[in-house]
Amino acid sequence: MNDTRERIGVRIHWVAAIAALGALLLAPHMKVWITTLALGAIALRVASRTASPTLLGRILTWSLMVVGTGGILFEHHTLLGRGPGVSLLVVLLGLKTLETFTFRDAFIVIMMGYMTVGAAFLFEQDLLYVIPGAAVAVAVTIVFLRLGDTSAALSLREQSSYALRLLALSVPLALLLFVLFPRISGPMWSLGDAAASGVSGLSDTMSPGRISQLILSNEPAFRASFEGSPPPRELRYWRGPVLSRYDGRTWHPSWWASIPRHEPLAGSGRLSYDILLEPHHKQWLLALDIPDRAPPGAIETQTFQLLSIKPVTERMRYSAESLLDTETDPQLPQRRRRLNLALPPGVAPRAAALVSSWREQYPTARGIVAAALRHFREEPFTYTLTPPALSGDPVDDFLFSTRRGFCEHFSSSFTVLMRLAGIPARVVTGYQGGEWNPIGNYIEVRQSDAHAWSEVWLEGSGWERIDPTAAVSPERVELGIGSTTSLASDLPFLFRARYGAGILNRLRQGWDTINYQWQNWIVAYGPDRQMAMLEKLGFDNPGWRELAWLMALGMALLATLLTLFHFWRIRAVEPVPLKRVYVRLVRKLTTAGMPPGSSEGALDFGERIASANPGIAADLRGITERYTAMRYGSAYSEENLKDLRQRVRRFDPNAR
């Protein structure tokens, strides 16, 4: 391609278009100035009328390179990691387009266009984002073919169709590699600075306002599918961080919350289920109350919480078992009893006086628990997402002044009341409820289902779950937050509508089911999932050598099938009369001592003979170009076939 500068001058608009598409595809994840710099460089190249690089252009390109790299370093303090790495890719895409004058430069831009499609999946793996990514990949492939079609034999429509066929042919190979290529443990889609993005979900501490802010998020937290029937909504308490230390305003986990436990639980109501957990960049895993065993790569702590060995930075799929009816810690050692009774000195004096009166009336722990719940139920407490700020002692201010709050207010004050009464108690945070998706047969739990409740330790029965929020707002537990009438003015409209049974909710559930399967089978396809699938196919725990052999065998089989399909298609598609005309031409040339090469196409064959024989060059080129246009283009017709047949009949390979 010695004349590439002249040709790319005509087609730079196509190259600029796919470069702009790549930059726009990543725009939602980039700083505005990065996208603006890349698009500005692309626009400058389109507006430029020069056909070759100039000194001013080189100075401008290098100046923008310094500005872009310096800006990324200023923003991220490094060029490594997902954010700075992809930012640098976008800047380079724009600047490479700015200095594109040859086909070689254009093909580099095309390769960078493909890289933008892959880079987009580092940020978003939802099925919705596959559509624009696939569109950009198709556009880049069309431009790739358009640049390679130097004879302009194919129209844009034919090039588009050819690009789609090429991508479709790559699907079997992609599926083969996806299934068999050895998977690695660890984050695949979330690299570098992933911890700084996304919805963080629950926190490892609880202070007023934290969970109520989280509830305003409609982002999914996890999805759970059961082997049998799911538990009823009122029993769907998804256990998360357990908080036992209280400093007078904020609850924290204790040292006991990270000690593994190995004792099996006894009880009834055992449930087995799978969880597809969204990344939250913490170590805890969610499980139904009470989990009985930890999945691989995780532990169950002494507070019956599941902890992953490493932070959950990508979607994680795991299996769990829980017991709905079990007795936990029937004996509580003194050290742990003191831990779950500890309060700061002088905390909540008015609450302490109230508890003192209860202790005089109710000699048993259960009587005091019932009195506290009755207090929440009968006093004018209001369940709201916009409670007033608490001043002074937060427990006293809430219990006796504001009386407006959310689950964190009720669970925190209830737990303090129990400790004041000498009853070991702690706060448990997690999620409650979740919406059953009848299309996909799973429970969808969103951040808006975040919840906090209490646990009290009672002599003879161990830890028992007490939800004081249910005493104030029972519909929150039984029907979900979207049906809580007291929150009608606080929740966004879509939150309330998602619990409806209308067609919009059905459509949303249908789309979520498709997206769930995508996440479950594609995004979360890790080493465990791969081994399980291969075992179903009859391969017992294959190593990388066996997988390599399987991939080689599969690729050989695919190549054979594609070759057979290609020959079948040629035989099926190529018009017999046209083939006969070409065979007659080849026979004439072969008789004259000019046979075709073993793998030489019509154009190359004609050009080789024409270059060596100027006397027949014009006629031969006219024949091979017409034949190619009819064979591979849209020029085939009876009239053109008749014309070609006459040209071949008149053609004399010995003419000089």
Side-chain angles (χ1 to χ4, degrees):
M1 294 182 180
N2 296 327
D3 59 345
T4 51
R5 292 183 181 180
E6 182 181 351
R7 287 184 177 276
I8 203 61
V10 176
R11 306 184 185 194
I12 186 61
H13 296 86
W14 292 96
V15 179
I18 57 107
L21 284 176
L24 291 173
L25 181 66
L26 292 170
H29 314 290
M30 297 291 104
K31 298 289 184 182
V32 173
W33 70 267
I34 290 177
T35 305
T36 304
L37 189 152
L39 293 178
I42 295 169
L44 277 176
R45 178 62 188 95
V46 173
S48 172
R49 296 181 179 275
T50 58
S52 60
T54 62
L55 178 60
L56 182 60
R58 289 195 177 97
I59 293 174
L60 176 62
T61 302
W62 280 103
S63 300
L64 291 176
M65 184 68 203
V66 171
V67 170
T69 307
I72 294 171
L73 281 172
F74 180 78
E75 292 277 357
H76 301 277
H77 308 291
T78 179
L79 294 178
L80 303 178
R82 184 187 62 175
V86 178
S87 299
L88 191 60
L89 170 65
V90 175
V91 170
L92 291 176
L93 177 65
L95 297 183
K96 187 60 191 175
T97 308
L98 180 59
E99 65 168 17
T100 293
F101 294 94
T102 67
F103 272 95
R104 175 181 173 277
D105 295 332
F107 287 134
I108 293 176
V109 173
I110 286 174
M111 293 301 110
M112 297 176 75
Y114 283 122
M115 292 172 66
T116 61
V117 177
F121 284 95
L122 296 177
F123 295 94
E124 292 289 350
Q125 298 91 48
D126 283 353
L127 186 58
L128 184 63
Y129 292 91
V130 174
I131 299 173
V136 173
V138 171
V140 173
T141 305
I142 292 173
V143 174
F144 179 70
L145 293 175
R146 199 164 183 80
L147 293 181
D149 184 17
T150 54
S151 62
L154 302 179
S155 65
L156 176 61
R157 181 179 179 183
E158 291 167 335
Q159 288 167 345
S160 303
S161 175
Y162 191 35
L164 290 174
R165 288 202 303 271
L166 277 179
L167 292 175
L169 286 174
S170 68
V171 170
L173 179 61
L175 288 176
L176 177 74
L177 294 177
F178 176 79
V179 172
L180 295 179
F181 195 85
R183 320 300 286 189
I184 57 174
S185 300
M188 180 175 179
W189 298 105
S190 302
L191 302 173
D193 56 352
S197 63
V199 177
S200 59
L202 295 171
S203 171
D204 53 2
T205 62
M206 189 187 79
S207 54
R210 178 65 184 90
I211 291 182
S212 56
Q213 293 173 4
L214 188 63
I215 281 177
L216 293 177
S217 168
N218 203 30
E219 294 292 328
F222 62 91
R223 298 172 178 88
S225 56
F226 290 80
E227 292 183 0
S229 300
R233 174 182 287 276
E234 61 270 20
L235 296 181
R236 296 177 199 162
Y237 283 85
W238 307 94
R239 194 178 186 90
V242 179
L243 313 175
S244 301
R245 288 194 302 113
Y246 182 59
D247 62 6
R249 182 165 291 273
T250 303
W251 288 89
H252 305 266
S254 71
W255 55 270
W256 197 247
S258 58
I259 305 297
R261 65 176 296 274
H262 306 286
E263 303 82 8
L265 289 173
S268 59
R270 181 176 295 275
L271 290 174
S272 300
Y273 50 94
D274 293 330
I275 297 278
L276 183 64
L277 180 65
E278 296 291 318
H280 53 64
H281 312 297
K282 303 290 185 180
Q283 287 182 267
W284 55 72
L285 306 179
L286 280 302
L288 268 179
D289 218 4
I290 298 287
D292 187 34
R293 65 177 176 87
I299 62 170
E300 183 174 8
T301 71
Q302 294 290 335
T303 56
F304 306 99
Q305 180 188 353
L306 298 184
L307 286 181
S308 173
I309 295 176
K310 51 192 176 183
V312 181
T313 57
E314 62 176 345
R315 286 185 178 86
M316 180 178 179
R317 183 181 181 277
Y318 56 91
S319 299
E321 289 187 359
S322 296
L323 292 171
L324 296 181
D325 186 12
T326 183
E327 185 180 77
T328 56
D329 291 341
Q331 303 297 323
L332 193 64
Q334 281 301 318
R335 192 177 182 184
R336 291 167 59 185
R337 178 186 291 270
R338 287 195 298 272
L339 173 68
N340 290 285
L341 285 173
L343 288 171
V347 68
R350 297 183 64 184
L354 176 64
V355 168
S356 179
S357 67
W358 288 345
R359 297 181 69 170
E360 293 177 358
Q361 300 177 55
Y362 310 104
T364 65
R366 288 194 180 277
I368 294 176
V369 170
L373 292 176
R374 188 162 52 251
H375 179 78
F376 282 115
R377 190 181 305 115
E378 296 178 353
E379 294 296 322
F381 285 96
T382 301
Y383 184 67
T384 177
L385 282 178
T386 55
L390 299 176
S391 59
D393 187 282
V395 173
D396 274 359
D397 197 31
F398 171 68
L399 288 176
F400 301 103
S401 298
T402 66
R403 293 184 171 178
R404 296 171 61 85
F406 199 63
C407 59
E408 55 207 359
H409 297 82
F410 294 106
S411 60
S412 175
S413 57
F414 179 86
T415 305
V416 170
L417 285 171
M418 293 301 101
R419 290 190 175 190
L420 289 170
I423 301 173
R426 59 194 181 191
V427 172
V428 182
T429 60
Y431 298 86
Q432 198 283 324
E435 184 183 19
W436 173 251
N437 187 323
I439 302 174
N441 292 323
Y442 61 85
I443 293 175
E444 177 188 6
V445 180
R446 294 182 174 268
Q447 300 294 351
S448 54
D449 295 310
H451 194 52
W453 59 92
S454 301
E455 282 185 341
V456 297
W457 187 87
L458 300 175
E459 192 73 38
S461 59
W463 289 104
E464 288 191 12
R465 180 179 61 237
I466 305 294
D467 191 350
T469 305
V472 179
S473 179
E475 67 270 28
R476 162 64 183 88
V477 174
E478 296 170 0
L479 301 176
I481 190 169
S483 301
T484 307
T485 53
S486 60
L487 298 182
S489 59
D490 297 336
L491 290 173
F493 172 76
L494 288 179
F495 280 38
R496 288 168 266 159
R498 84 177 175 91
Y499 288 91
I503 188 171
L504 288 179
N505 197 45
R506 296 286 292 179
L507 289 174
R508 188 194 62 79
Q509 289 179 334
W511 171 250
D512 194 79
T513 299
I514 297 172
N515 199 35
Y516 170 68
Q517 298 300 335
W518 164 264
Q519 300 290 345
N520 199 21
W521 288 99
I522 305 298
V523 179
Y525 187 75
D528 297 337
R529 195 86 174 179
Q530 184 183 42
M531 287 299 110
M533 174 171 283
L534 292 176
E535 287 179 5
K536 289 182 179 178
L537 295 176
F539 302 99
D540 186 16
N541 195 23
W544 66 269
R545 288 187 178 84
E546 290 81 2
L547 290 176
W549 276 108
L550 284 173
M551 282 192 292
L553 183 63
M555 285 189 283
L557 180 62
L558 280 178
T560 303
L561 292 175
L562 287 176
T563 302
L564 292 175
F565 174 75
H566 177 69
F567 283 116
W568 172 83
R569 188 173 177 277
I570 287 177
R571 290 176 60 86
V573 172
E574 186 174 18
V576 173
L578 179 62
K579 186 177 180 180
R580 287 175 179 168
V581 172
Y582 183 67
V583 169
R584 183 175 183 181
L585 172 68
V586 172
R587 189 181 299 123
K588 277 189 172 184
L589 289 168
T590 303
T591 304
M594 294 175 282
S598 59
S599 58
E600 203 169 30
L603 279 178
D604 292 339
F605 175 43
E607 186 60 31
R608 178 172 62 82
I609 301 301
S611 299
N613 301 274
I616 60 172
D619 291 340
L620 184 56
R621 286 191 178 114
I623 292 173
T624 54
E625 287 176 359
R626 282 173 171 77
Y627 167 76
T628 303
M630 294 171 65
R631 171 68 181 85
Y632 301 103
S634 57
Y636 184 86
S637 67
E638 290 299 325
E639 183 178 354
N640 289 339
L641 177 63
K642 182 179 179 181
D643 175 69
L644 183 65
R645 187 181 289 122
Q646 292 174 351
R647 285 175 180 269
V648 172
R649 186 182 302 117
R650 294 194 301 265
F651 176 69
D652 180 4
N654 298 312
R656 294 289 184 273

